[in-house]
Amino acid sequence: MNTTKLSWLDRFFKLSHYKTNVKTEILAGLTTFVTMAYIIVVQPDLMKAAGMDQGAVMVTVLIASGLFSIIMGLYAKRPFGVAPGMGGNVFFAYSIVAAGLATWQQGLGMVFISGVVFLLLTFLGLRETISRIIPKNIKHAIGAAVGLFIIGTGFANAGIIVQNKTGTLTLGSLHSPTVLLSLIGLVIIIGLMARKLKAAVFIGIIITSIIGIPMGITKLPHSFGDLFSLPPDPSSIIFQVDIPGALKLAFFPLMFTFFTGEFFSTMGTVLGVGAKANLLDKEGNLPDIKKPFIVDGIATVGGSLLGQTTITTYIESASGVEAGGRTGLTAVTTGIVFLLALFVTPLILLIPSAATAPALIVIGLSMLATLKNINMDELEETLPALLTVISAGLTFSLANGIVFGILSYVVIKVFMGKFRDIHIGLWILCIPLIYYLWLK
């Protein structure tokens, strides 16, 4: 019976084709979940600023992330976990709702409309077209940009790099228990990876969490029963989308910011993580990229109905890829664990950020290897690619990196008189990109 099950999974997800197996894919899915799990806490806390019920938000985060990660795995068959995107949620909570520009119901309406536009552009083939016309070197740079973004996130979560009073970055206190535990975790994961252990990242996170117990960082519950609980009632935020209220002309620039940021963030993540998993073709394109885009659009529309901000493909999916995940079975596993977490959220929340931060750092470092694919022989090709990486890392925005990379590519080619090198689609694309920067 087991052989039959394995055979069916192998045929459906093409495990043998991608040189992987069920055990590896499940472990990879668990690893992706662990590195994404912070959203379970972060999203409700952010949405509190928008006046939404925290318990209800936590429940729909788990439902939306679980459901759409499973759909990503079954339909797109890629190892990409999805959840409410960081950046879009902050913009929603603080720049729109807390600032008094709109109600959270109208904000959800904006998310819904953005999702519909995502789907329309995907079915029309425009999202796939845009991903193809982006210069090859910039596509390769996106993988490294994702890596630098993840490294920065890891260092920040660990407290190893902090912002000082002047606004610049500096080294955090090595006397801090959080920093110390993160460094210990970094050594553990690097050591396990050096021994070529496929489960290095996941095992490293668990060991680091255990070490954090005597250090007072991993907080244990008062009793065993505290690890399990029934989820709160999410009815206060489900189907509260105010679509007519979101169709005000004054809201269009806000929706454009939502749309553009998530559009390029998702594209960058799909290409970047796809590169890490060796899924891209010789031109730097992901075969059947339309499918992840369709899931992304459906997730955004469905997520808004569940009371969530823009649902997007997660950069942390790279952790599952690092653990060996190559197919949709990884995403399905991640989704199932999100749904199971509805009843064991306290257990999941025991894992401190100091345990996941070193995993992000190591994963990000490994993704910088995509820089080797960039052609360094021609300056006008090299500079936009490097600008993509640097601007994404320094601004903590993958979308910003792609925008600066594309615009700089066009500008440099114009100054060199190489107009034929610029695809007509890039000329058209520059218009909304400039508008996006102007809105910033």
Side-chain angles (χ1 to χ4, degrees):
M1 185 170 180
N2 288 336
T3 304
T4 303
K5 287 183 178 179
L6 291 179
S7 172
W8 179 84
L9 287 172
D10 195 304
R11 288 197 303 271
F12 186 81
F13 291 107
K14 299 181 180 179
L15 302 180
S16 298
H17 174 76
Y18 290 104
K19 299 179 181 179
T20 183
N21 55 59
V22 174
K23 180 181 177 181
T24 298
E25 293 291 304
I26 291 176
L27 184 59
L30 289 171
T31 303
T32 297
F33 170 78
V34 170
T35 54
M36 288 176 64
Y38 67 85
I39 197 63
I40 302 173
V41 182
V42 173
Q43 184 74 349
D45 187 57
L46 286 172
M47 293 304 104
K48 179 176 65 174
M52 301 174 73
D53 180 75
Q54 284 183 275
V57 172
M58 178 178 287
V59 171
T60 57
V61 164
L62 292 169
I63 293 174
S65 303
L67 176 62
F68 295 115
S69 289
I70 291 173
I71 293 175
M72 177 68 80
L74 294 177
Y75 176 66
K77 298 183 182 179
R78 297 300 186 190
F80 306 144
V82 298
M86 290 299 296
N89 51 11
V90 175
F91 182 68
F92 176 98
Y94 293 98
S95 298
I96 294 180
V97 182
L101 298 179
T103 65
W104 61 263
Q105 291 90 343
Q106 289 173 323
L108 291 177
M110 296 180 207
V111 174
F112 179 91
I113 294 169
S114 296
V116 172
V117 176
F118 282 148
L119 281 175
L120 287 175
L121 291 181
T122 301
F123 286 125
L124 290 173
L126 292 179
R127 292 183 80 178
E128 186 174 2
T129 298
I130 291 173
S131 70
R132 289 185 178 279
I133 65 175
I134 291 177
K136 185 176 179 181
N137 266 8
I138 293 181
K139 288 178 184 176
H140 289 310
I142 288 173
V146 171
L148 192 58
F149 183 93
I150 293 177
I151 293 170
T153 302
F155 275 125
N157 290 350
I160 297 175
I161 293 179
V162 297
Q163 193 175 47
N164 59 27
K165 294 179 180 178
T166 63
T168 57
L169 299 178
T170 187
L171 190 66
S173 174
L174 298 181
H175 298 287
S176 165
T178 300
V179 174
L180 183 59
L181 179 61
S182 296
L183 292 174
I184 292 173
L186 190 59
V187 172
I188 291 172
I189 293 176
I190 290 176
L192 292 175
M193 290 181 70
R195 297 184 66 85
K196 302 186 183 303
L197 191 65
K198 282 190 175 182
V201 175
F202 183 74
I203 294 174
I205 290 172
I206 301 302
I207 293 176
T208 305
S209 297
I210 294 173
I211 295 174
I213 296 175
M215 296 178 68
I217 298 175
T218 304
K219 305 293 183 182
L220 294 178
H222 296 295
S223 64
F224 181 77
D226 292 339
L227 292 175
F228 305 91
S229 62
L230 290 175
D233 180 10
S235 61
S236 64
I237 64 172
I238 292 180
F239 300 122
Q240 298 300 311
V241 180
D242 183 3
I243 300 174
L247 290 173
K248 294 181 180 179
L249 188 62
F251 290 162
F252 276 40
L254 300 177
M255 280 190 281
F256 183 81
T257 302
F258 257 132
F259 173 80
T260 308
E262 294 304 329
F263 180 96
F264 285 102
S265 179
T266 297
M267 184 178 67
T269 300
V270 167
L271 292 175
V273 177
K276 175 66 179 173
N278 295 318
L279 299 176
L280 305 188
D281 59 24
K282 294 181 180 180
E283 297 301 317
N285 298 313
L286 179 70
D288 288 327
I289 196 172
K290 187 174 183 178
K291 289 185 177 181
F293 285 160
I294 289 175
V295 176
D296 180 71
I298 293 174
T300 295
V301 172
S304 67
L305 297 176
L306 291 172
Q308 287 301 322
T309 51
T310 308
I311 306 291
T312 186
T313 307
Y314 253 53
I315 289 178
E316 284 77 6
S317 300
S319 63
V321 170
E322 182 64 38
R326 294 294 181 273
T327 75
L329 184 54
T330 294
V332 170
T333 302
T334 299
I336 290 174
V337 179
F338 264 115
L339 295 179
L340 292 176
L342 280 166
F343 306 99
V344 293
T345 302
L347 178 62
I348 302 301
L349 299 182
L350 290 179
I351 300 173
S353 60
T356 57
L360 295 177
I361 294 171
V362 172
I363 293 162
L365 288 171
S366 67
M367 295 186 74
L368 294 180
T370 58
L371 288 171
K372 68 182 180 182
N373 297 318
I374 296 176
N375 179 13
M376 297 288 185
D377 295 332
E378 298 179 359
L379 192 63
E380 72 268 23
E381 297 286 341
T382 304
L383 288 182
L386 296 181
L387 188 58
T388 299
V389 177
I390 298 301
S391 55
L394 294 182
T395 64
F396 272 71
S397 170
L398 188 55
N400 288 347
I402 297 174
V403 169
F404 276 110
I406 293 174
L407 291 178
S408 63
Y409 176 87
V410 173
V411 169
I412 291 173
K413 290 293 185 180
V414 167
F415 273 103
M416 296 188 70
K418 297 184 177 181
F419 295 96
R420 291 185 178 180
D421 290 353
I422 306 173
H423 192 285
I424 188 172
L426 287 182
W427 287 110
I428 299 172
L429 187 59
C430 282
I431 297 173
L433 295 189
I434 293 172
Y435 183 56
Y436 170 76
L437 291 180
W438 180 76
L439 288 175
K440 289 286 187 177

